[in-house]
């Protein structure tokens, strides 16, 4: 449940009304991406058939259904699948993050390390691989994927250890490689990533239900794309090592393996056009844009004019916050791009460059910057929400910035610039009772930003 | 004339067509804020009457017309006024920046220092004050104001020198005061700022034609608001000195003068409701939103769907650029908020935190960041333009970012991150022939950003 930190929004008058509107819009957005609800929206049982996003699987002709996967939101997804398929599930094994277990009956949930992979994760991933090897032509593999799946489903290739992988990653980071480049190499050193989970499952049919935590929903990036074609090759991976001058400086096991790949001794990852994917269906069941759309619909039901701006928002939180404030100011000044009462909806994931020692998160920091930019302007609110309910290392999911946020802070003796410089947005909004509190939502589709102009 | 640095946009095929569209939109935006055209749009002669934005001034009952003012765009504004009123102008004196003279007949243009005020500016401002003293009830004072007017029209109060003012400003900056706070104090130490030009002109009628270079067009900020009510007081100014602990640490002349103001020995600046403004008409003749609207109209004529996003855009250029890229990506992916072919129009003024030793400007830097964010994505262009034609200390007015900007740069051996880190966007785009070149436009309504998605 979305609430403000205090009862403030329950107070009388226009301010209370507006806060209730905000809560309603945020709650609708979060409800839309609840992992279990998301699975059930895209996968339904129709008697003897399983219908997934328009595709019908005749369960009477399917021998075994296996459920595999990994990710932070996998436990509620698994529960939804058990509710749907019950004893038609032959076997299942999923890796979830420590302390993310929920009760299941036929699917085994294994706790594993995240964000740093650990041996538990490798053991669970080996069990997934073993299960996939069993799957035959008349079987159906349901793959449940959510954020964190890349770390949780880690299964290095023969001869390469977790330590080797960590050494490689550190070397690449030091050399300045970006995440796409790092993943290009890692996808060639893992038995499940880069489409290889689907290849292991073949000739079984594969249905992958994906809860996206990556801006723009690039299928090959979410959990390193275990069921989608890989667009990169051993040559690409080798080229990157050469480019960053890391040959001879990384674990020999890795160099040996990739060298064999380049020499054609090991089959490359299945790419676009590989027959593996002819029997694979990938469905994004929840994503930032689904949440944003639900928020937009809720705002429209409140008779607000709405504008769906973008779900690709990235950048330094404090700077991005200024742009959202600028949009609110224009609506107020000129009724452009939409008239009042208005709600502008956006999503994505910003970053925070740490400068201080304070406590906060990217959404709270964005809100503080927005508050500075809308200072003294009535009727505008910028609301910043982490959909997982945990914005940075805090128990808040975001914050609300309004025209009087800075003045109310000053009354309490708070200099907003000092708090911003110190990355200390949490205590700032906590003092004002303007933190958004949801508790952990068990989902994660990045962040949402709403600009309300009444 | 807007052109690209090279003949590139004249080439055949779709790329040339698109560049011609860009040029057409930018040119329309700039034409709309040409200072002379802007004056003529809002001030017309109808026989014996002068009509300014709907208000009619019967010239047959007006004895003298005096023209005063200051700003970087004042020379073409003065020419337009001379064209309109000719020998009805009794006298006129304006301060313009060095090397910004144009031939005039009845209005004297004086060159003065900008951005640091100098004695020439003070002498010219004294001449303005003297002229205003002459103006009587049946006279009309035309005040021409444009960007830079605050420095160019500097006339410290009795006993305070330019050096004192500079010392004060430096002390305030060191103490962490922001520009609004600095201006609050400066407006109380100058004979023209903060509505006092209008007060000097009383009982004459005043028409102020304002070319706005401040985001959001706050009348009291443009050239420090010589003809608009001041919302600040001597008490505010004194309170700021106290808050920043500067009492006893700034020139004695300043402290003495402000102390007299606080004690009521000197009349405070004319505020809202002062009778001075009953006979004053302030008209913004050119501004960022007028330019943006003209660009929007030109885009619509090219059959592009348009969205007028905001003219309040502020923030670090490289981060703001990512947000514009995000909007382009959403249009491409989902047709939201508008369908293709699309043009999103925005304006404002970003900032650049200097990190390197390179050559560039805020618009070019924003374009480079946008290019990184739309890397590999066809059919999107982010165009960033400084309307004064001079983006940073360069001869370019901005740059164009497209999906192949980064790839084309890499072909020439340029690492875009290196150029960005070094604030070196000018040579980057120069190498690609993707700089926008207009030459000095003699106007300044901040910056414009256009996102094209074809």
């Amino acid at each position: 449940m979305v609430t403000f930190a205090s009862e403030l929004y329950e107070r009388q008058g226009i301010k209370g009304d507006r806060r209730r509107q905000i809560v309603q819009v945020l709650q609708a957005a979060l409800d839309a991406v609840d992992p279990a609800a998301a699975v059930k929206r895209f996968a339904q049982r129709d008697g003897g058939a399983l219908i997934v996003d328009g595709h019908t699987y005749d369960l009477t002709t399917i021998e075994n259904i296996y459920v595999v996967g990994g990710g932070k939101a996998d436990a509620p997804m698994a529960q939804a699948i058990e509710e749907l398929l019950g004893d038609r599930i032959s076997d299942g094994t999923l890796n979830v993050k420590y302390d993310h277990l929920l009760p299941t009956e036929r699917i085994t949930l294994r706790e594993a390390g995240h964000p740093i992979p650990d041996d538990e994760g490798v053991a669970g991933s080996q069990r997934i691989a073993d299960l996939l090897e069993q799957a035959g032509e008349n079987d159906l593999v349901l793959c449940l994927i959510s954020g964190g799946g890349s770390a949780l489903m880690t299964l290095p290739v023969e001869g390469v250890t977790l330590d080797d992988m960590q050494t490689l990653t550190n070397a690449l980071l030091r050399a300045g490689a970006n995440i796409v480049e790092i993943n290009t190499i890692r996808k060639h050193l893992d038995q499940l990533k880069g489409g290889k989970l689907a290849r292991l499952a073949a000739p079984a049919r594969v249905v992958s239900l994906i809860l996206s935590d990556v801006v723009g929903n690039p299928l090959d990036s979410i959990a390193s794309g275990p069921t989608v074609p890989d667009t990169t090759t051993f040559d690409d991976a080798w080229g990157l090592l050469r480019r960053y001058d890391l040959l001879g400086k990384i674990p020999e096991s890795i160099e040996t393996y990739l060298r064999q790949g380049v020499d054609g001794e090991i089959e490359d990852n299945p790419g676009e056009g590989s027959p593996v994917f002819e029997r694979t269906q990938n469905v994004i069941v929840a994503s930032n844009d689904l949440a944003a759309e639900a928020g937009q619909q809720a705002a429209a039901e409140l008779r607000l004019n709405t504008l769906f701006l973008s779900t690709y928002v990235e950048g330094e939180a404090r700077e991005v916050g200024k742009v959202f404030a600028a949009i609110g100011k224009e609506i107020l000044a000129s009724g452009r791009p939409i008239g009042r009462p208005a709600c502008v909806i956006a999503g994505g994931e910003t970053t925070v460059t740490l400068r201080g020692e304070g406590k906060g998160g990217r959404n709270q920091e964005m809100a503080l910057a927005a508050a500075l930019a809308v200072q003294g302007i009535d009727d505008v609110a910028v609301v910043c929400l982490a959909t997982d309910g945990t914005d940075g290392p805090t128990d808040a999911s975001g914050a609300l910035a309004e025209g009087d946020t800075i003045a109310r802070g000053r009354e309490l003796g708070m200099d907003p610039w000092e708090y911003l410089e110190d990355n200390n947005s949490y205590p700032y909004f906590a003092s004002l009772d303007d933190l958004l509190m949801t508790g952990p939502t068990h989902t994660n589709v990045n962040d949402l930003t709403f600009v309300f102009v009444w």
Side-chain angles (χ1 to χ4, degrees), chain A:
Chain A
M1 274 288 292
V2 179
T3 59
F4 284 95
S6 78
E7 306 299 303
L8 187 59
Y9 82 97
E10 287 179 3
R11 67 181 173 182
Q12 300 297 310
I14 196 168
K15 200 133 184 174
D17 289 344
R18 290 175 174 182
R19 279 167 192 242
R20 278 184 287 277
Q21 288 192 1
I22 293 170
V23 165
Q24 210 163 319
V25 169
L26 267 49
Q27 189 66 56
L30 288 178
D31 287 349
V33 290
D34 170 77
V39 165
K40 288 180 197 158
R41 192 174 315 114
F42 283 90
Q44 292 104 29
R45 185 77 179 267
D46 183 8
L50 172 69
I51 304 168
V52 181
D53 195 25
H55 290 248
T56 301
Y57 297 86
D58 181 354
L59 297 182
T60 63
T61 66
I62 285 172
E63 278 174 25
N64 298 295
I65 298 179
Y66 299 112
V67 184
V68 299
K72 287 188 280 177
D74 264 39
M77 293 173 82
Q79 285 186 324
I81 286 296
E82 287 198 340
E83 210 178 296
L84 203 66
L85 295 172
D87 57 12
R88 280 306 318 265
I89 298 168
S90 306
D91 200 352
T93 187
L94 297 176
N95 290 356
V96 300
K97 190 172 171 173
Y98 290 109
D99 297 322
H100 280 56
L101 284 181
L102 288 175
T104 48
E105 289 180 8
R106 303 184 79 89
I107 304 170
T108 307
L109 302 190
R110 290 160 185 273
E111 293 180 288
H114 176 276
I116 308 288
D118 65 4
D119 290 335
E120 292 301 313
V122 172
S125 299
Q126 185 59 58
R127 174 83 182 91
I128 290 172
D130 295 344
L131 201 58
L132 294 173
E133 297 275 22
Q134 293 177 30
E137 196 172 353
N138 297 322
D139 296 338
L140 175 65
V141 172
L142 283 175
C143 183
L144 308 181
I145 292 176
S146 57
S150 191
L152 292 167
M153 278 192 289
T154 290
L155 188 57
V157 295
E158 283 273 331
V160 174
T161 66
L162 268 188
D163 277 351
D164 294 341
M165 291 301 292
Q166 196 59 52
T167 306
L168 169 75
T169 302
N170 293 343
L172 283 163
L173 284 172
R174 267 199 312 277
N178 64 40
I179 188 66
V180 173
E181 292 169 335
I182 293 173
N183 281 340
T184 294
I185 301 174
R186 289 201 290 210
K187 279 186 191 179
H188 285 88
L189 295 165
D190 189 279
Q191 299 184 49
L192 299 176
K193 300 185 204 307
K196 281 177 284 188
L197 189 154
R199 186 161 71 193
L200 274 179
R205 269 165 293 186
V206 175
V207 172
S208 199
L209 302 179
I210 302 162
L211 194 140
S212 166
D213 73 331
V214 184
V215 170
N217 308 326
L219 283 174
D220 60 341
S221 292
I222 304 165
S224 297
T227 59
V228 298
D230 189 0
T231 55
T232 68
T233 63
F234 274 117
D235 284 346
D236 293 330
W238 191 259
L240 287 167
L241 292 181
R242 187 195 304 271
R243 177 166 150 214
Y244 287 110
D245 195 23
L246 292 175
L247 293 173
K249 299 170 186 169
I250 52 171
E252 207 184 316
S253 60
I254 288 177
E255 212 165 308
T256 306
Y257 185 84
L258 290 178
R259 178 81 250 170
Q260 289 176 302
V262 170
D263 290 345
E265 291 164 29
I266 301 168
E267 195 183 354
D268 213 328
N269 291 358
E272 206 71 65
S274 160
V276 164
F277 301 108
E278 284 167 19
R279 286 163 70 84
T280 301
Q281 182 188 10
N282 286 295
V283 182
I284 293 180
V285 297
S287 59
N288 189 267
D289 48 316
L290 281 175
E293 279 167 18
Q296 181 180 30
Q297 196 182 326
E301 282 163 13
L302 290 166
R303 301 184 163 278
L304 300 168
N305 300 310
T306 65
L307 182 86
F308 191 109
L309 186 66
S310 177
T311 54
Y312 291 82
V313 174
E314 295 179 289
E316 183 74 20
R318 65 181 64 200
E319 305 301 327
V320 174
K322 293 179 196 170
V323 179
F324 284 111
I327 294 171
K329 288 179 192 175
E330 186 69 43
I331 292 173
L332 203 62
S334 77
R336 290 180 296 214
I338 53 172
R340 300 156 70 183
C343 180
V344 176
I345 300 103
E349 185 168 301
T350 61
T351 45
V352 166
T353 304
L354 287 181
R355 294 146 217 253
E357 302 283 313
K359 183 176 177 183
R362 53 187 186 262
N363 288 281
Q364 293 161 76
E365 185 150 316
M366 197 202 290
L368 184 50
L372 280 159
V374 300
Q375 192 175 164
I377 301 175
D378 289 338
D379 305 323
V380 175
V382 180
V383 185
C384 308
L385 176 77
T387 59
D388 65 357
T390 308
D391 186 38
T394 76
D395 62 358
S397 48
L400 161 69
E402 292 177 298
D404 64 358
T405 300
I406 300 304
R408 287 168 53 220
R410 290 218 190 265
E411 274 169 31
L412 300 177
M414 296 190 291
D415 177 343
W417 295 105
E418 244 171 54
Y419 281 77
L420 189 59
E421 269 319 287
D422 204 26
N423 300 118
N424 204 19
S425 48
Y426 180 89
Y428 189 90
F429 286 106
S431 304
L432 295 178
D433 285 327
D434 280 347
L435 288 172
L436 293 167
M437 308 297 283
T438 58
T441 61
H442 306 293
T443 190
N444 180 17
V445 295
N446 307 118
D447 303 329
L448 294 170
T449 308
F450 300 89
V451 182
F452 290 86
V453 186
W454 286 283

